[in-house]
Protein backbone atom coordinates (compact mmCIF):
# COMPACT_ATOMS: atom_id res chain seq x y z
CA UNK A 1 0.00 0.00 0.00
CA UNK A 2 1.27 3.47 -0.86
CA UNK A 3 1.36 6.12 1.81
CA UNK A 4 0.65 8.75 -0.88
CA UNK A 5 -1.12 8.30 -4.20
CA UNK A 6 1.12 8.09 -7.23
CA UNK A 7 1.16 11.48 -8.88
CA UNK A 8 0.57 13.44 -5.69
CA UNK A 9 2.94 16.16 -4.55
CA UNK A 10 4.40 13.73 -2.03
CA UNK A 11 4.81 10.95 -4.63
CA UNK A 12 5.24 12.65 -8.01
CA UNK A 13 5.30 10.76 -11.29
CA UNK A 14 8.23 11.01 -13.66
CA UNK A 15 7.77 12.43 -17.13
CA UNK A 16 8.00 8.90 -18.54
CA UNK A 17 5.32 7.63 -16.14
CA UNK A 18 3.02 10.45 -17.21
CA UNK A 19 3.61 9.66 -20.88
CA UNK A 20 3.03 5.94 -20.29
CA UNK A 21 -0.24 6.69 -18.49
CA UNK A 22 -1.34 8.99 -21.31
CA UNK A 23 -0.62 6.32 -23.92
CA UNK A 24 -2.38 3.65 -21.86
CA UNK A 25 -5.49 5.80 -21.52
CA UNK A 26 -5.62 6.97 -25.14
CA UNK A 27 -4.36 3.78 -26.81
CA UNK A 28 -7.79 2.46 -27.76
CA UNK A 29 -8.64 5.70 -29.57
CA UNK A 30 -5.46 6.99 -31.20
CA UNK A 31 -2.76 5.16 -33.14
CA UNK A 32 0.77 5.22 -31.70
CA UNK A 33 1.78 7.67 -34.45
CA UNK A 34 -1.03 10.08 -33.59
CA UNK A 35 -0.27 9.72 -29.88
CA UNK A 36 3.32 10.74 -30.57
CA UNK A 37 2.28 13.73 -32.67
CA UNK A 38 -0.20 14.84 -30.01
CA UNK A 39 2.43 14.54 -27.27
CA UNK A 40 4.89 16.55 -29.37
CA UNK A 41 2.32 19.32 -29.79
CA UNK A 42 1.42 19.28 -26.09
CA UNK A 43 5.11 19.52 -25.16
CA UNK A 44 5.50 22.44 -27.56
CA UNK A 45 2.34 24.39 -26.69
CA UNK A 46 4.25 27.65 -26.47
CA UNK A 47 5.17 27.47 -30.15
CA UNK A 48 1.74 26.51 -31.53
CA UNK A 49 0.29 29.06 -33.90
CA UNK A 50 -3.22 27.77 -33.29
CA UNK A 51 -4.87 25.26 -30.99
CA UNK A 52 -6.67 23.90 -34.06
CA UNK A 53 -3.73 21.61 -34.85
CA UNK A 54 -3.84 20.24 -31.31
CA UNK A 55 -7.59 19.73 -31.45
CA UNK A 56 -7.40 18.00 -34.84
CA UNK A 57 -5.07 15.41 -33.33
CA UNK A 58 -7.65 14.48 -30.67
CA UNK A 59 -9.92 12.97 -33.32
CA UNK A 60 -9.36 9.25 -33.49
CA UNK A 61 -8.01 7.48 -36.50
CA UNK A 62 -11.40 5.79 -36.85
CA UNK A 63 -13.24 9.11 -36.98
CA UNK A 64 -14.55 9.11 -33.43
CA UNK A 65 -13.60 12.07 -31.30
CA UNK A 66 -12.62 12.08 -27.68
CA UNK A 67 -15.69 12.91 -25.62
Amino acid sequence: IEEYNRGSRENPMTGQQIEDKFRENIGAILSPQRQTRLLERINGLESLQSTRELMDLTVSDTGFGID
Side-chain angles (χ1 to χ4, degrees):
I1 226 169
E2 292 179 334
E3 184 174 346
Y4 297 101
N5 290 333
R6 186 173 57 127
S8 68
R9 184 179 331 163
E10 295 83 5
N11 187 16
M13 295 170 65
T14 66
Q16 187 62 56
Q17 289 173 320
I18 293 168
E19 180 177 330
D20 292 345
K21 183 175 181 176
F22 170 83
R23 288 182 184 274
E24 181 181 327
N25 286 321
I26 205 76
I29 298 172
L30 299 180
S31 69
Q33 296 81 10
R34 188 166 283 206
Q35 293 172 36
T36 298
R37 290 195 339 251
L38 181 55
L39 281 168
E40 288 170 350
R41 298 317 180 280
I42 290 169
N43 289 324
L45 281 176
E46 299 83 13
S47 63
L48 281 181
Q49 298 295 317
S50 168
T51 58
R52 180 69 187 193
E53 182 180 1
L54 183 67
M55 297 308 296
D56 288 346
L57 288 170
T58 64
V59 177
S60 87
D61 303 286
T62 60
F64 297 102
I66 299 172
D67 295 323

